[in-house]
Amino acid sequence: MSIRIGIVGYGNIGRGVECAVLQNPDMELKAVFTRRDPENVSILTDTAQVCRVDDIIKWQGELDVVILCGGSATDLPVQTPEYAKYFNVIDTFDTHAKIPEHFANVDKSAKENGKLALISVGWDPGLFSIARLYSSSVLPQGQDYTFWGYGVSQGHSDAIRRVEGVKDAKQYTVPIEEAIDAVRNGENPTLTTAQKHIRECFVVLEDGADPVKVEETIKNMPNYFADYNTIVHFISEDELKEKHSEIPHGGVVLRSGVTGLNGEHHHVIEYKLKLDSNPEFTSSVVIAYARAVYRLANEGQTGCKTVFDIAPSYLSALSGEELRATML
Amino acid sequence: MSIRIGIVGYGNIGRGVECAVLQNPDMELKAVFTRRDPENVSILTDTAQVCRVDDIIKWQGELDVVILCGGSATDLPVQTPEYAKYFNVIDTFDTHAKIPEHFANVDKSAKENGKLALISVGWDPGLFSIARLYSSSVLPQGQDYTFWGYGVSQGHSDAIRRVEGVKDAKQYTVPIEEAIDAVRNGENPTLTTAQKHIRECFVVLEDGADPVKVEETIKNMPNYFADYNTIVHFISEDELKEKHSEIPHGGVVLRSGVTGLNGEHHHVIEYKLKLDSNPEFTSSVVIAYARAVYRLANEGQTGCKTVFDIAPSYLSALSGEELRATML
């Protein structure tokens, strides 16, 4: 029997989850739940239904894992604790500072209702967090570094779009290779986020806007750009569409540490992602963890968990025996 | 109370484990067990005892985890099932092809005696295996690649030393950067181990040996060198000692895969290690897993496990709450 998946929210992540389900023969998408009129939402999976999100509770017992694909700002803080009353759920909550609070809310709700919830799945938080955990456990005397990019930052792109005179924009976060190399060489540099990244902006101006003024406004925007080496390119709307409509991302997590009686040997652990599509990759991580949630729920586990709490073998479609024979 | 560690076998790994224990304040080395005369073995930890390996059974109840630091060829196939009768044990068994058999033997012995055993811990098998498992689960449509080096291969160094006319030798496995880049670029090349690595040999000749003949013998050695691009350097004994007495190693595990309805987006996951000391790093991995074994044994787990079966959080000295707040 397949693992029966439900999706709440059909944006980039929702569509990515749908595609990821299709790559995994042990899973089946049963339904997509949307706030829009289902008549107007067309999905890729013929055998799945499109339903109003308000009707989801009728699906109790019909779905093994429900993937919550809303935003971290306002959707997930409400949706995850709510739907964990009725289903085993996974979300991609990525507001790092609010994870403890979110965890507590979801844990309470899931435990009270005998469900299993897994929060903050993806690559950061997610695979990058796992890399940090393994590396720091193995090299307790060391330092962690995370670099992001080359990739599109949605938040920074939005910030540019709010500038007067800007019609559209895309912002790429670019890691500074020299800084990464300094870490690789064991120099243990002290680096702020601004010292690790360049911000490269591709901006389409409104007719008649002043490029000098727009560029200055962007470069001086506090928090977003003021502390960074920011590069602004003005391009046409056509060029933006043609060359900047994809959503690549990635980054690298490094741990530089020492071993030996006097720390005489240096080691570098590096975990790097280069992703053509941020939402599709995030969704692929989520779907691997859906397998884990399904299995752990069948073992009777309840409450809220994170990727830290899940043994790697639960993610794979292969048996323990197969894994030991082929992958260990 | 500290986690009480015992070490069986005081070679490179045994000493590495001892150093790793010293980096972890929640652990304490209680005893080193050796086949040599304990009088002749001096260790780094004043508070630990050196004992005859035959006396280890007297230590039942005094050690939380025993680290077996023998070789995979003849020591561990016997030692791990044997000592799993009396202790929770960890080994670094690294003969990939024989892992299923070893697992079965250790599992039987550990289960019958209510102990927990963890086999094949280190970086390959170990952290590299974990990287392969996560990556292939997240990107089911893709291909795995493992490159080893830059590092010393003990087996190949030994093979050279057996050649007539060779006094001493060190062999470095060198990954071919162009091959790694082809994988990174998503070219999905089909590569044999020989197409991924160069073998670089530093050889000290016996007095009067014929370098031409020695070089030819090395380069034509089946399995070890014949299929490879092999480079032989003849150096003096002093130079070998001065420049080649360390044991660096490392490598990279890559997964190149696609997502999307038609596989239209490409992704690369890369996990890379650069290690100044292979045995010390291996030992550091083992000691992080000793914490996991201690905790899981306290939860009542028994039998044989591998790194695949252990959730990342068990490796860290931090609590779940601390991990979520600082590392997720």
Side-chain angles (χ1 to χ4, degrees):
Chain A
M1 206 180 89
S2 301
I3 303 170
R4 299 164 301 173
I5 303 289
I7 290 173
V8 175
Y10 197 64
N12 282 334
I13 297 281
R15 273 189 297 274
V17 168
E18 183 178 18
C19 291
V21 167
L22 294 169
Q23 287 190 328
N24 289 279
D26 59 340
M27 302 199 189
E28 190 187 353
L29 179 65
K30 302 299 280 187
V32 170
F33 301 90
T34 173
R35 280 183 289 224
R36 289 177 271 171
D37 181 348
E39 294 290 321
N40 299 331
V41 176
S42 88
I43 64 173
L44 309 166
T45 311
D46 294 342
T47 52
Q49 296 184 40
V50 182
C51 308
R52 280 177 207 283
V53 73
D54 298 332
D55 291 340
I56 192 170
I57 294 166
K58 298 179 192 160
W59 284 76
Q60 271 190 87
E62 305 295 318
L63 302 170
D64 295 309
V65 186
V66 171
I67 317 293
L68 305 174
C69 303
S72 296
T74 56
D75 295 333
L76 297 177
V78 178
Q79 287 180 350
T80 315
E82 173 62 18
Y83 295 134
K85 293 179 188 167
Y86 312 103
F87 301 100
N88 303 313
V89 296
I90 300 184
D91 77 19
T92 58
F93 186 79
D94 66 359
T95 313
H96 292 259
K98 292 190 177 167
I99 286 174
E101 183 190 338
H102 187 55
F103 180 90
N105 293 337
V106 175
D107 192 49
K108 185 168 181 292
S109 159
K111 261 199 194 123
E112 283 174 2
N113 294 279
K115 300 297 177 194
L116 182 61
L118 182 65
I119 61 162
S120 301
V121 181
W123 59 274
D124 197 359
L127 298 181
F128 270 18
S129 321
I130 291 170
R132 288 187 281 263
L133 175 42
Y134 276 111
S135 302
S136 61
S137 301
V138 165
L139 293 175
Q141 284 181 20
Q143 225 171 312
D144 280 319
Y145 294 87
T146 303
F147 292 80
W148 293 274
Y150 179 90
V152 173
S153 163
Q154 217 55 61
H156 288 78
S157 301
D158 289 344
I160 300 173
R161 286 189 204 104
R162 288 190 295 265
V163 171
E164 207 188 310
V166 171
K167 192 169 182 185
D168 203 353
K170 268 279 171 80
Q171 193 266 191
Y172 295 85
T173 304
V174 185
I176 298 173
E177 277 300 323
E178 291 75 19
I180 300 181
D181 284 339
V183 175
R184 285 185 182 127
N185 295 337
E187 296 170 26
N188 286 354
T190 304
L191 297 166
T192 65
T193 304
Q195 288 166 331
K196 292 191 291 183
H197 302 92
I198 289 169
R199 301 213 168 273
E200 192 168 15
C201 315
F202 294 85
V203 179
V204 180
L205 289 172
E206 301 273 14
D207 283 348
D210 175 4
V212 177
K213 205 182 144 196
V214 167
E215 181 163 348
E216 231 166 67
T217 309
I218 293 171
K219 288 186 168 176
N220 292 309
M221 209 182 290
N223 302 320
Y224 285 94
F225 296 100
D227 301 332
Y228 290 83
N229 178 1
T230 301
I231 300 165
V232 178
H233 307 278
F234 293 105
I235 61 173
S236 70
E237 198 164 10
D238 285 350
E239 191 179 341
L240 191 80
K241 238 173 225 157
E242 195 189 319
K243 296 189 184 161
H244 303 283
S245 56
E246 294 283 339
I247 316 172
H249 220 312
V252 54
V253 171
L254 298 122
R255 176 94 180 167
S256 168
V258 294
T259 63
L261 192 59
N262 303 301
E264 60 270 32
H265 290 119
H266 179 248
H267 310 280
V268 181
I269 305 175
E270 184 171 338
Y271 184 77
K272 191 174 176 183
L273 297 175
K274 189 167 157 276
L275 313 174
D276 276 1
S277 166
N278 184 357
E280 283 183 8
F281 186 80
T282 299
S283 305
S284 295
V285 178
V286 166
I287 276 304
Y289 275 99
R291 185 178 289 120
V293 165
Y294 171 75
R295 291 173 176 172
L296 287 164
N298 281 348
E299 291 178 11
Q301 302 256 1
T302 64
C304 188
K305 300 204 174 285
T306 76
V307 295
F308 292 157
D309 306 311
I310 298 194
S313 61
Y314 282 94
L315 275 68
S316 174
L318 300 179
S319 71
E321 218 168 342
E322 290 168 318
L323 289 175
R324 287 189 294 274
T326 62
M327 229 174 266
L328 194 61
Chain B
M1 206 181 91
S2 300
I3 303 171
R4 300 166 301 173
I5 303 289
I7 290 174
V8 175
Y10 197 64
N12 283 333
I13 296 282
R15 274 189 297 274
V17 168
E18 184 179 19
C19 291
V21 167
L22 293 170
Q23 286 189 328
N24 289 279
D26 59 340
M27 303 199 187
E28 190 187 354
L29 179 65
K30 302 298 280 188
V32 170
F33 301 91
T34 174
R35 280 183 289 224
R36 289 177 272 170
D37 180 348
E39 295 289 320
N40 300 331
V41 175
S42 88
I43 64 172
L44 309 166
T45 311
D46 294 340
T47 52
Q49 297 183 39
V50 182
C51 309
R52 279 175 209 284
V53 72
D54 298 331
D55 291 340
I56 191 170
I57 294 166
K58 298 180 192 158
W59 284 75
Q60 271 190 88
E62 305 295 316
L63 302 171
D64 295 308
V65 187
V66 170
I67 317 293
L68 306 174
C69 302
S72 296
T74 55
D75 295 334
L76 298 177
V78 178
Q79 287 180 351
T80 315
E82 173 62 18
Y83 296 134
K85 292 179 189 166
Y86 313 103
F87 300 99
N88 304 312
V89 296
I90 300 184
D91 77 20
T92 58
F93 186 79
D94 65 359
T95 313
H96 292 259
K98 293 192 178 167
I99 286 174
E101 184 190 336
H102 187 55
F103 181 90
N105 293 338
V106 176
D107 191 49
K108 184 167 181 291
S109 158
K111 263 200 192 120
E112 282 174 2
N113 295 279
K115 300 297 177 194
L116 182 62
L118 182 65
I119 60 162
S120 300
V121 181
W123 59 275
D124 196 359
L127 298 180
F128 270 17
S129 321
I130 291 170
R132 288 188 280 262
L133 175 43
Y134 276 112
S135 301
S136 61
S137 302
V138 164
L139 293 176
Q141 285 181 21
Q143 226 172 310
D144 280 320
Y145 295 88
T146 303
F147 292 81
W148 292 275
Y150 181 88
V152 172
S153 164
Q154 217 56 62
H156 288 79
S157 301
D158 289 344
I160 301 172
R161 287 190 204 105
R162 288 191 295 263
V163 171
E164 208 189 308
V166 170
K167 190 168 183 188
D168 203 351
K170 266 282 171 78
Q171 192 265 191
Y172 294 85
T173 304
V174 185
I176 298 173
E177 277 299 324
E178 292 75 18
I180 300 181
D181 284 339
V183 175
R184 285 185 182 127
N185 295 337
E187 296 169 28
N188 286 354
T190 304
L191 297 167
T192 64
T193 304
Q195 289 165 331
K196 292 190 292 183
H197 302 93
I198 290 169
R199 301 212 167 275
E200 192 169 14
C201 315
F202 294 86
V203 180
V204 180
L205 289 173
E206 301 273 14
D207 283 348
D210 175 4
V212 177
K213 204 181 146 199
V214 167
E215 181 163 348
E216 232 166 68
T217 309
I218 293 171
K219 286 187 169 176
N220 292 309
M221 208 183 289
N223 302 320
Y224 285 95
F225 295 101
D227 301 332
Y228 291 81
N229 178 2
T230 301
I231 300 166
V232 177
H233 308 277
F234 292 105
I235 61 173
S236 70
E237 198 164 10
D238 284 350
E239 192 179 341
L240 192 81
K241 238 175 224 156
E242 195 189 320
K243 295 188 185 161
H244 303 282
S245 57
E246 294 283 339
I247 316 173
H249 219 312
V252 55
V253 171
L254 298 122
R255 176 94 179 167
S256 168
V258 294
T259 63
L261 192 58
N262 304 301
E264 60 270 31
H265 291 118
H266 179 248
H267 310 281
V268 181
I269 306 175
E270 184 171 337
Y271 184 77
K272 192 174 176 183
L273 297 176
K274 190 168 157 276
L275 313 174
D276 276 1
S277 166
N278 184 357
E280 283 183 8
F281 186 80
T282 299
S283 305
S284 294
V285 178
V286 165
I287 276 304
Y289 274 99
R291 186 178 288 121
V293 165
Y294 172 74
R295 290 174 176 172
L296 287 164
N298 282 348
E299 290 178 11
Q301 303 256 0
T302 65
C304 187
K305 298 202 177 286
T306 76
V307 294
F308 292 157
D309 306 310
I310 298 194
S313 61
Y314 282 95
L315 274 69
S316 174
L318 300 179
S319 71
E321 218 169 344
E322 289 169 318
L323 288 175
R324 287 189 295 273
T326 62
M327 229 173 265
L328 195 62

